[in-house]
Amino acid sequence: MLPRVGTVDDPLRLAVLISGGGSGLAALLTHQEVAARLHRTVLVVADGDAGGLEHGRGLGIPSKTISLPNVSDKVEQRLAHEALVLAELEAAEIECVVLSGYMRILTPSFVKRWKGRLVNIHPSLLPKYPGAHAHRDALADGAKVSGCTVHLVNEGVDSGYILAAEEVPVLDGDSEEDLQERVKKVEQILYPEVLDQLAAGAFSV
Ligand code: GAR
């Protein structure tokens, strides 16, 4: 559960984790800029040289790359990386972690630490097409409808409690990119709205 309900005077402190261009981050930042909200983004973290960091930097929000440390054992490397991320989250007094195109699967220990305060958006109607290739999988399956899902993160892959979902049509002849762009447009509206509700205490899970 969230530690508290956000207020306009003291909005919930969000960190947004990204891996790519950050169109979802940009939409969230605009949402937070245009009106008083119950949440605000105070930290952006990327796991590499993500273009989306510029959206945070442009608004003066600390926006950092935390690369995978140079550790040969993959398990140790993952844990060491998460420890670095966790240190940044704690230093920034983060209350809720928002995954927005963050393409790493988090370890059970990290998930446990943030349980109820760790949110993801996935570009399909879960439980259909979990994982890193949702659009490819939807097209290969001949789906006529796809969409996006906002969910709390649990120890599984895209299997946590669903907060909201919205359908998006799949059109004849769609490429992966066509479908991705159509879904992103819906994500950019849905995710900020769900975060408004979450920060207001609307979900009692
Ligand atoms: C978004 O469509 C998001 O749903 C997806 O990555 C895209 C990020 O776009 N996330 C996943 O696939 C997570 N498994 P963006 O970098 O332009 O915001």
Side-chain angles (χ1 to χ4, degrees):
M1 287 300 297
L2 288 177
R4 66 182 178 97
V5 165
T7 65
V8 166
D9 290 339
D10 189 12
L12 209 64
R13 295 171 68 81
L14 306 186
V16 182
L17 273 52
I18 62 170
S19 295
S23 65
L25 167 66
L28 177 61
L29 295 177
T30 300
H31 181 81
Q32 292 167 333
E33 284 285 303
V34 297
R37 305 292 181 191
L38 305 182
H39 51 84
R40 73 188 163 109
T41 301
V42 298
L43 177 66
V44 178
V45 172
D47 59 342
D49 202 12
L53 288 165
E54 292 311 318
H55 299 305
R57 288 183 183 139
L59 290 169
I61 299 168
S63 302
K64 307 179 179 183
T65 296
I66 302 179
S67 302
L68 285 178
N70 205 358
V71 177
S72 54
D73 182 87
K74 292 287 172 207
V75 174
E76 290 301 321
Q77 185 187 43
R78 211 170 149 210
L79 290 169
H81 181 248
E82 285 185 357
L84 295 173
V85 173
L86 182 60
E88 289 290 344
L89 298 176
E90 288 183 341
E93 297 179 3
I94 296 304
E95 296 174 287
C96 179
V97 177
V98 174
L99 306 182
S100 188
Y102 191 63
M103 301 308 281
R104 304 194 62 76
I105 294 171
L106 297 161
T107 64
S109 62
F110 187 94
V111 171
K112 192 168 171 222
R113 165 71 178 77
W114 291 98
K115 208 140 203 192
R117 300 183 288 148
L118 180 57
V119 195
N120 183 41
I121 189 157
H122 182 76
S124 75
L125 291 178
L126 292 171
K128 278 189 169 278
Y129 319 126
H133 304 290
H135 302 304
R136 188 191 303 173
D137 294 345
L139 291 173
D141 198 32
K144 296 289 174 216
V145 176
S146 192
C148 50
T149 305
V150 180
H151 65 95
L152 295 176
V153 177
N154 67 4
E155 288 79 0
V157 176
D158 301 322
S159 58
Y161 181 87
I162 292 176
L163 300 173
E166 195 155 325
E167 291 185 357
V168 175
V170 180
L171 303 183
D172 287 347
D174 265 355
S175 64
E176 267 183 61
E177 290 71 28
D178 295 333
L179 182 55
Q180 180 181 53
E181 285 314 308
R182 196 175 308 116
V183 169
K184 278 190 184 188
K185 288 199 175 80
V186 176
E187 291 183 329
Q188 290 161 14
I189 297 167
L190 182 68
Y191 210 4
E193 285 178 357
V194 174
L195 292 170
D196 287 349
Q197 294 166 17
L198 191 69
F203 301 105
S204 54
V205 287

Coordinates of all heavy atoms in Angstrom, one line a residue, residues 126-159:
L126 N -3.3 -7.4 -20.4 CA -2.9 -8.5 -19.5 C -4.1 -9.3 -19.0 O -5.2 -8.7 -18.8 CB -2.1 -8.0 -18.4 CG -0.7 -7.4 -18.8 CD1 0.0 -6.7 -17.6 CD2 0.2 -8.5 -19.3
P127 N -4.1 -10.6 -18.9 CA -2.8 -11.4 -18.9 C -2.4 -11.8 -20.3 O -1.4 -12.6 -20.4 CB -3.3 -12.6 -18.1 CG -4.7 -12.8 -18.4 CD -5.3 -11.4 -18.5
K128 N -3.0 -11.3 -21.4 CA -2.5 -11.6 -22.7 C -1.2 -10.9 -23.0 O -1.0 -9.7 -22.6 CB -3.5 -11.2 -23.8 CG -4.6 -12.2 -23.9 CD -5.5 -11.9 -25.1 CE -6.4 -13.0 -25.5 NZ -5.8 -14.0 -26.3
Y129 N -0.3 -11.6 -23.6 CA 1.0 -11.0 -24.2 C 1.9 -10.3 -23.1 O 2.2 -9.2 -23.3 CB 0.7 -10.1 -25.3 CG -0.4 -10.6 -26.3 CD1 -1.5 -9.9 -26.6 CD2 -0.3 -11.9 -26.8 CE1 -2.5 -10.4 -27.4 CE2 -1.3 -12.4 -27.6 CZ -2.4 -11.6 -27.9 OH -3.4 -12.1 -28.7
P130 N 2.2 -11.0 -22.0 CA 3.2 -10.4 -21.1 C 4.6 -10.5 -21.8 O 4.8 -11.1 -22.8 CB 3.1 -11.4 -19.9 CG 2.7 -12.7 -20.5 CD 1.8 -12.4 -21.7
G131 N 5.5 -9.8 -21.1 CA 6.9 -9.9 -21.6 C 7.3 -8.8 -22.5 O 6.6 -7.8 -22.7
A132 N 8.5 -8.9 -23.1 CA 9.1 -7.8 -23.8 C 8.6 -7.6 -25.2 O 9.0 -6.6 -25.9 CB 10.6 -8.0 -23.8
H133 N 7.8 -8.4 -25.8 CA 7.4 -8.3 -27.2 C 5.9 -8.4 -27.3 O 5.3 -9.1 -28.2 CB 8.0 -9.4 -28.0 CG 9.5 -9.5 -27.8 ND1 10.3 -8.5 -28.4 CD2 10.3 -10.3 -27.2 CE1 11.6 -8.8 -28.1 NE2 11.6 -9.9 -27.3
A134 N 5.2 -7.6 -26.6 CA 3.7 -7.6 -26.5 C 3.1 -7.4 -27.9 O 2.2 -8.1 -28.3 CB 3.2 -6.6 -25.5
H135 N 3.6 -6.4 -28.6 CA 2.9 -6.1 -29.9 C 3.2 -7.2 -30.9 O 2.3 -7.6 -31.7 CB 3.5 -4.7 -30.4 CG 3.2 -3.6 -29.5 ND1 2.0 -3.3 -29.0 CD2 4.0 -2.7 -28.9 CE1 2.0 -2.3 -28.2 NE2 3.3 -1.9 -28.1
R136 N 4.4 -7.6 -31.0 CA 4.8 -8.7 -31.9 C 3.9 -10.0 -31.6 O 3.4 -10.6 -32.5 CB 6.3 -9.1 -31.7 CG 6.8 -10.1 -32.7 CD 8.2 -10.6 -32.3 NE 9.1 -9.5 -32.1 CZ 10.4 -9.7 -31.7 NH1 10.8 -10.9 -31.3 NH2 11.2 -8.7 -31.5
D137 N 3.7 -10.3 -30.3 CA 3.0 -11.4 -29.9 C 1.5 -11.2 -30.3 O 0.8 -12.2 -30.7 CB 3.1 -11.7 -28.4 CG 4.5 -12.1 -28.0 OD1 5.3 -12.4 -28.9 OD2 4.8 -12.0 -26.8
A138 N 1.0 -10.0 -30.1 CA -0.4 -9.8 -30.4 C -0.7 -9.9 -31.9 O -1.7 -10.6 -32.4 CB -0.8 -8.4 -30.0
L139 N 0.2 -9.4 -32.7 CA 0.1 -9.5 -34.2 C 0.2 -11.0 -34.7 O -0.5 -11.4 -35.5 CB 1.2 -8.6 -34.9 CG 0.9 -7.1 -34.7 CD1 2.1 -6.3 -35.3 CD2 -0.4 -6.7 -35.4
A140 N 1.2 -11.7 -34.1 CA 1.4 -13.1 -34.4 C 0.2 -13.9 -34.1 O -0.1 -14.9 -34.8 CB 2.6 -13.6 -33.7
D141 N -0.5 -13.5 -33.1 CA -1.7 -14.2 -32.6 C -3.0 -13.9 -33.4 O -4.0 -14.4 -33.2 CB -1.9 -13.9 -31.1 CG -2.8 -14.8 -30.4 OD1 -2.8 -16.0 -30.8 OD2 -3.5 -14.4 -29.5
G142 N -2.8 -12.9 -34.3 CA -4.0 -12.4 -35.1 C -5.0 -11.7 -34.2 O -6.2 -11.6 -34.6
A143 N -4.6 -11.1 -33.2 CA -5.5 -10.3 -32.3 C -6.1 -9.2 -33.0 O -5.5 -8.5 -33.9 CB -4.7 -9.8 -31.1
K144 N -7.4 -9.0 -32.8 CA -8.1 -7.8 -33.4 C -8.2 -6.7 -32.4 O -8.5 -5.5 -32.8 CB -9.6 -8.2 -33.7 CG -9.6 -9.3 -34.8 CD -9.2 -8.7 -36.2 CE -9.1 -9.8 -37.2 NZ -8.0 -9.6 -38.2
V145 N -8.0 -7.0 -31.1 CA -8.0 -6.0 -30.1 C -6.7 -6.2 -29.2 O -6.4 -7.3 -28.9 CB -9.2 -6.1 -29.2 CG1 -9.2 -5.1 -28.1 CG2 -10.5 -5.8 -30.1
S146 N -6.0 -5.1 -29.0 CA -5.0 -5.1 -27.9 C -5.2 -4.0 -26.9 O -6.4 -3.7 -26.7 CB -3.6 -5.1 -28.6 OG -2.6 -5.4 -27.6
G147 N -4.2 -3.4 -26.4 CA -4.5 -2.3 -25.4 C -3.3 -2.2 -24.5 O -2.1 -2.4 -24.8
C148 N -3.6 -1.6 -23.3 CA -2.6 -1.4 -22.3 C -3.2 -1.6 -20.9 O -4.4 -1.5 -20.8 CB -2.0 0.0 -22.5 SG -3.1 1.3 -22.5
T149 N -2.3 -2.0 -20.0 CA -2.7 -2.3 -18.7 C -1.8 -1.7 -17.7 O -0.6 -1.7 -17.8 CB -2.6 -3.9 -18.5 OG1 -3.4 -4.5 -19.5 CG2 -3.1 -4.3 -17.1
V150 N -2.4 -1.0 -16.7 CA -1.6 -0.5 -15.5 C -1.8 -1.4 -14.4 O -2.9 -1.8 -14.0 CB -2.0 0.9 -15.2 CG1 -1.2 1.5 -14.0 CG2 -2.0 1.9 -16.3
H151 N -0.7 -1.9 -13.8 CA -0.8 -2.9 -12.7 C 0.3 -2.7 -11.7 O 1.4 -2.1 -11.9 CB -0.7 -4.3 -13.3 CG 0.7 -4.6 -13.9 ND1 1.7 -5.2 -13.2 CD2 1.2 -4.4 -15.2 CE1 2.7 -5.4 -14.0 NE2 2.5 -4.9 -15.2
L152 N 0.0 -3.1 -10.5 CA 1.0 -3.2 -9.4 C 2.0 -4.3 -9.8 O 1.6 -5.3 -10.4 CB 0.4 -3.4 -8.1 CG -0.6 -2.4 -7.5 CD1 -1.2 -2.8 -6.2 CD2 0.2 -1.0 -7.3
V153 N 3.2 -4.1 -9.5 CA 4.2 -5.1 -9.8 C 4.3 -6.1 -8.7 O 4.4 -5.7 -7.5 CB 5.6 -4.5 -10.1 CG1 6.7 -5.5 -10.3 CG2 5.5 -3.5 -11.2
N154 N 4.3 -7.4 -9.0 CA 4.6 -8.5 -8.1 C 5.8 -9.2 -8.5 O 6.5 -8.8 -9.4 CB 3.3 -9.4 -7.9 CG 3.0 -10.2 -9.1 OD1 3.8 -10.1 -10.1 ND2 1.9 -10.9 -9.1
E155 N 6.1 -10.4 -7.9 CA 7.3 -11.1 -8.2 C 7.3 -11.8 -9.6 O 8.3 -12.2 -10.1 CB 7.6 -12.2 -7.2 CG 8.0 -11.6 -5.8 CD 6.9 -11.1 -4.9 OE1 5.7 -11.1 -5.4 OE2 7.2 -10.6 -3.8
G156 N 6.1 -11.8 -10.2 CA 6.1 -12.4 -11.6 C 6.3 -11.4 -12.7 O 6.6 -10.3 -12.4
V157 N 6.2 -11.9 -13.9 CA 6.4 -11.0 -15.0 C 5.0 -10.5 -15.5 O 4.2 -11.3 -16.0 CB 7.1 -11.7 -16.2 CG1 7.2 -10.8 -17.4 CG2 8.5 -12.1 -15.7
D158 N 4.7 -9.2 -15.3 CA 3.5 -8.6 -15.8 C 2.2 -9.3 -15.2 O 1.2 -9.5 -15.9 CB 3.4 -8.5 -17.3 CG 4.6 -7.7 -17.9 OD1 4.9 -6.7 -17.3 OD2 5.1 -8.1 -18.9
S159 N 2.3 -9.8 -14.0 CA 1.3 -10.6 -13.4 C 0.7 -10.0 -12.1 O -0.1 -10.6 -11.5 CB 1.8 -12.0 -13.1 OG 2.9 -11.9 -12.2

